[in-house]
């Protein structure tokens, strides 16, 4: 079995000026890796013919597959098509199928089809047109001397459409790729180094064709398990066995796999248990409610929330007595406990969760520094609060505060009775 | 005056595997552009000596300034230091100053200083060490034949620290850069093409050394005005004049400049007018409250919020009568108006704002499709509601819903009486 290599070329002054963050090449790297193509290099050049041509030439010297994004607009500063025509030594002409599709696109939207738009249907004759029903710039597919080159629009959703619907399949048809097994294991409530310690023996015993990567993000650690082989069925069997072993070692930290998010997994657990939830938030200021409601279908279990930023709201809407606030302060076990309990009862939910803390950058004291967050969980059996100390960055404290509540909730909902 | 060119090289398999999104090079492009250095190209290669060396060599052939990030860890798969030693033909040795700083870093944190950590202080002897007080990998600065190369850690906050505190100043010292004037003009409430139409005459009349770029993001359009010259004072005078003209044409859409955000500008307006605000949210589900509370110091004007996801909460916490909900539905002018009015009164705020809509992907009907959002604004003079039709993506509808409320609020707070 051979290995095949790809290079990605993104074109656009706006990327080199630091005006546009290139997320396209990240997406393409991920999808190529998934089908077993190794990305060797990615390059960004500006809207300059010489730079584009030299980058294409260099990439072609090294790789089997070149994917280009950007520079396909109809205006004169978009140079990808003239460069490809020069590189493949062919004229640019109206492609009849492209013309049909582009004009149909404008017709569907009731927009005028101008001369400038017509130029979108002009393509180097050496290419095969890739239909782009979600935009106005068709993609292009070239083959030459055993190598392939795809040129795609820079608009992310158009690029994604063409990768998913045209490019990956063509690459799989054209090259005999290795069989690849991928599994993302999502954990919460444990730091990267603790997780590494916990699963060290399992990791050390992984078969040689399996590789593990740690991908820590905001309060979570993702593990990416990858393997190559000759039979996907065999790899899946091996993978499942490894997953079972991993579950026995670190199961309580694993909340999901692949594309699942913690908030969607918690949501499914609530649906399964026929429970509803409400939140009372001070320091997270709505971010926690937003995490819940970002999940499609969350109206099945999410009742609502009281964001009690000012102490008056804690008193009036959440019935936290003034004496408690005076004696213990808003950021205290006593206050957060009452917030969780009372929001549960007032909003008629089965579970109430609450946050109160000092997000920063101002407002910290020696006893209650910036980054101190109290979280609470309340259900019909009682209420529990936890103290957590985060860092000194406001947005970090807000996001980690929400994640801590979700992690705690996951633990509660999966606890064996 | 000469132009100087830079190339950026990011190193790491994790980027090419699609596991890590490279935001470092975006940041560096932005900061270099700002000081008048033109970025020619950026390249990502994996952790392979031959690829790293060839990329450095190629970049050095084209550019005056090379900035490298990544591959500086203490483990064997981090190859940047050996490659630089080879490229600059020098040994790697313990740098005494680096050793002092790295060991002090561990001491401050009460962490053990291991042999592996000690390797962080080993540097190619040809470099000048760049102190990194925010991490364990020092940066490196090389000069050779009129060109410079900086090698920085890949951890974003360490890279940023070194760019801001070491690299930019050294580049400015070393090269006579053009004088650059930059201004970001931030607009809301107008689409890119409408704004372009509105300011066409102004744009066409810009002096030749001024350039304008349109940068649309989520419900806003940023304009980036750039100019080069020989005197910053003169450019600023010209720029200020152009800003004044622009204000006369499109002033009602301009909410701020440079790093200001719409939520922080709205916050400052509330403080200045000594007004407080509360939100009542259905479809935005907490995202609007989160937008307000993401601003440091928002507790001065943000009272709180009622997230009324379930209709019970609209009835019980926001006093929307059951008959209104039955007759007009939750997504209606009548409901959103009462939500804004009642949250203002119940939470004791001067202003109440509210959202109710169908975020999707489910829940749309022919009369009330996914993407339909009602927003309302209420103060002591009365309440006004607006209907908006967004698209079909849930997160888009949530984010645009919040932005529409903030845009409307900005308009209200800046309206001449």
């Amino acid at each position: 079995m051979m290995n095949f290599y790809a290079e990605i070329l993104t074109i656009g002054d706006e990327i080199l000026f630091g005006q546009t963050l290139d997320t396209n090449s990240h997406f393409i790297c991920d999808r190529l890796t998934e089908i077993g193509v190794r990305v060797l290099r990615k390059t960004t050049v500006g809207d300059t013919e010489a730079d584009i041509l030299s980058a294409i030439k260099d990439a072609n010297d090294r790789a089997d597959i070149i994917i280009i994004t950007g520079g396909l607009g109809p205006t004169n500063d978009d140079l990808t098509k003239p460069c490809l025509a020069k590189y493949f030594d062919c004229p640019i002409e109206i492609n009849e199928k492209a013309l049909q599709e582009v004009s149909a696109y404008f017709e569907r939207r009731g927009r005028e089809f101008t001369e400038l738009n017509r130029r979108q249907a002009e393509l180097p004759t050496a290419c095969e047109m890739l239909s782009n029903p979600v935009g106005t710039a068709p993609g292009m597919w070239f083959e030459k001397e055993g190598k392939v080159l795809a040129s795609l629009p820079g608009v992310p959703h158009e690029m994604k459409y063409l990768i998913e619907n045209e490019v990956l399949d063509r690459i799989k048809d054209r090259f005999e790729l290795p069989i690849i097994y991928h599994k993302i294991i999502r954990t919460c409530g444990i730091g990267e180094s603790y997780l590494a310690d916990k699963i060290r023996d399992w990791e050390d015993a992984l078969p040689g064709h399996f590789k593990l990567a740690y991908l820590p993000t905001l309060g979570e650690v993702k593990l990416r398990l990858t393997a190559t082989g000759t039979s996907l069925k065999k790899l899946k069997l091996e993978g499942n066995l490894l997953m079972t072993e991993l579950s026995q070692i670190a199961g309580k930290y694993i909340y999901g796999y692949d594309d699942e998010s913690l908030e969607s997994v918690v949501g499914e657990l609530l649906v399964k248990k026929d429970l509803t939830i409400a939140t009372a938030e001070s320091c997270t200021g709505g971010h926690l409610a937003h995490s819940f409601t970002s999940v499609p279908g969350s109206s099945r279990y999410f009742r609502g929330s009281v964001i009690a930023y000012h102490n008056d709201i804690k008193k009036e809407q959440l019935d936290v007595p003034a004496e408690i606030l005076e004696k213990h302060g808003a950021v205290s076990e006593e206050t957060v406990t009452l917030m969780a309990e009372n929001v549960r009862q007032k909003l008629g939910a089965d579970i109430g969760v609450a946050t109160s803390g000092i997000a920063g950058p101002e407002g910290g004291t020696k006893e209650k520094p910036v980054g101190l967050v109290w979280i609470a969980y309340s259900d019909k059996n009682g209420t529990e609060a936890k103290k957590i100390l985060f860092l000194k960055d406001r947005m970090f404290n807000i996001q980690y505060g929400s994640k801590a509540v979700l992690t705690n909730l996951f633990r509660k909902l999966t606890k064996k009775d």
Side-chain angles (χ1 to χ4, degrees), chain A:
Chain A
M1 194 172 41
M2 277 181 65
N3 277 318
F4 294 99
Y5 297 98
E7 292 209 11
I8 299 167
L9 180 58
T10 51
I11 296 174
D13 282 340
E14 70 281 9
I15 300 173
L16 297 178
F17 286 154
Q19 291 168 349
T20 301
L21 174 68
D22 166 32
T23 54
N24 283 350
S25 64
H26 177 65
F27 174 84
I28 299 169
C29 283
D30 180 65
R31 303 297 283 116
L32 287 178
T33 302
E34 216 168 282
I35 64 166
V37 172
R38 178 77 194 262
V39 180
L40 262 190
R41 187 182 290 231
K42 56 182 205 178
T43 307
T44 305
V45 293
D47 298 307
T48 310
E49 188 180 287
D51 290 343
I52 298 171
L53 277 172
S54 84
I56 294 174
K57 213 192 140 298
D58 291 349
N60 193 63
D61 287 345
R62 291 179 297 245
D64 309 290
I65 299 157
I66 303 176
I67 297 184
I68 302 181
T69 68
L72 287 190
T75 55
N76 287 331
D77 57 341
D78 288 305
L79 294 174
T80 304
K81 280 194 279 193
C83 286
L84 287 170
K86 205 167 246 190
Y87 183 75
F88 287 105
D89 194 19
C90 67
I92 295 179
E93 288 172 9
I94 284 281
N95 179 304
E96 285 304 326
K97 193 164 163 234
L99 185 63
Q100 238 169 39
E101 293 187 4
V102 176
S103 62
Y105 181 89
F106 279 85
E107 203 171 315
R108 276 202 304 282
R109 274 158 192 72
R111 281 159 54 187
E112 195 197 348
F113 188 58
T114 64
E115 187 52 39
L116 203 64
N117 303 140
R118 199 182 146 86
R119 291 190 56 187
Q120 300 274 28
E122 289 178 352
L123 301 178
T125 56
C127 84
E128 192 179 336
M129 196 257 308
L130 304 178
S131 295
N132 173 11
V134 297
T136 59
M140 290 171 269
W141 178 264
F142 297 88
E143 301 205 10
K144 194 181 171 185
E145 293 165 6
K147 300 193 170 191
V148 303
L149 184 153
S151 169
L152 310 175
V155 182
H157 79 272
E158 300 181 30
M159 177 280 303
K160 282 182 190 172
Y161 177 89
L162 284 165
I163 288 282
E164 301 283 10
N165 292 284
E166 295 281 350
V167 176
L168 295 178
D169 286 342
R170 281 163 193 265
I171 291 173
K172 285 192 258 181
D173 283 350
R174 182 63 198 66
F175 299 98
E176 201 179 319
L177 299 175
I179 305 291
I180 297 268
Y181 167 87
H182 273 279
K183 196 83 190 168
I184 300 275
I185 303 114
R186 293 174 170 267
T187 73
C188 63
I190 186 166
E192 182 180 7
S193 58
Y194 297 97
L195 182 62
D197 272 351
K198 208 166 185 63
I199 67 173
R200 176 155 303 139
D201 292 343
W202 175 83
E203 188 180 348
D204 288 345
L206 284 177
H209 55 302
F210 274 83
K211 281 194 176 170
L212 188 74
Y214 288 78
L215 311 170
T217 53
L218 209 92
E220 301 188 6
V221 179
K222 290 189 284 182
L223 298 170
R224 182 171 181 156
L225 190 67
T226 319
T228 48
T230 48
S231 150
L232 189 59
K233 201 175 156 195
K234 190 161 164 266
L235 290 175
K236 274 188 182 162
L237 279 173
E238 286 183 290
N240 288 343
L241 199 64
L242 289 168
M243 290 298 105
T244 308
E245 290 171 15
L246 184 65
S247 282
Q248 281 159 6
I249 306 163
K252 67 183 271 207
Y253 303 106
I254 299 171
Y255 73 78
Y257 297 92
D258 298 327
D259 287 335
E260 292 175 312
S261 69
L262 183 53
E263 41 273 32
S264 68
V265 167
V266 163
E268 284 308 315
L269 286 166
L270 290 169
V271 169
K272 211 175 284 172
K273 290 174 179 261
D274 200 19
L275 296 170
T276 59
I277 194 163
T279 79
E281 303 179 50
S282 187
C283 65
T284 49
H287 187 270
L288 178 58
H290 170 58
S291 298
F292 278 106
T293 58
S294 65
V295 178
S298 46
S299 55
R300 288 172 298 167
Y301 49 84
F302 187 74
R303 297 277 296 172
S305 177
V306 175
I307 317 297
Y309 226 54
H310 196 285
N311 276 354
D312 289 353
I313 317 298
K314 295 184 186 81
K315 281 183 254 178
E316 290 157 20
Q317 304 301 319
L318 290 172
D319 303 337
V320 180
E323 310 84 72
I324 294 278
L325 288 167
E326 270 152 41
K327 192 171 169 200
H328 303 284
V331 180
S332 65
E333 177 167 11
E334 290 77 4
T335 298
V336 81
T337 300
L338 284 169
M339 287 170 69
E341 254 172 49
N342 296 353
V343 85
R344 175 170 71 84
Q345 286 175 13
K346 292 200 78 160
L347 269 52
D350 299 308
I351 296 169
V353 289
T355 64
S356 187
I358 297 153
E362 307 296 325
T365 63
K366 205 173 165 198
E367 291 72 33
K368 294 183 178 179
V370 168
L372 173 67
V373 175
W374 277 97
I375 66 171
Y377 168 94
S378 175
D379 65 19
K380 65 179 197 288
N381 300 316
T383 305
E384 272 176 40
K386 267 190 187 183
K387 187 165 108 173
I388 311 171
L389 192 58
F390 295 120
L391 293 168
K392 299 201 184 308
D393 176 74
R394 183 178 182 84
M395 199 51 86
F396 181 98
N397 292 333
I398 291 173
Q399 293 174 332
Y400 271 67
S402 292
K403 190 71 85 176
V405 172
L406 289 168
T407 301
N408 191 47
L409 196 52
F410 172 73
R411 196 62 47 80
K412 293 278 181 194
L413 292 170
T414 51
K415 206 171 173 179
K416 306 277 181 303
D417 297 313

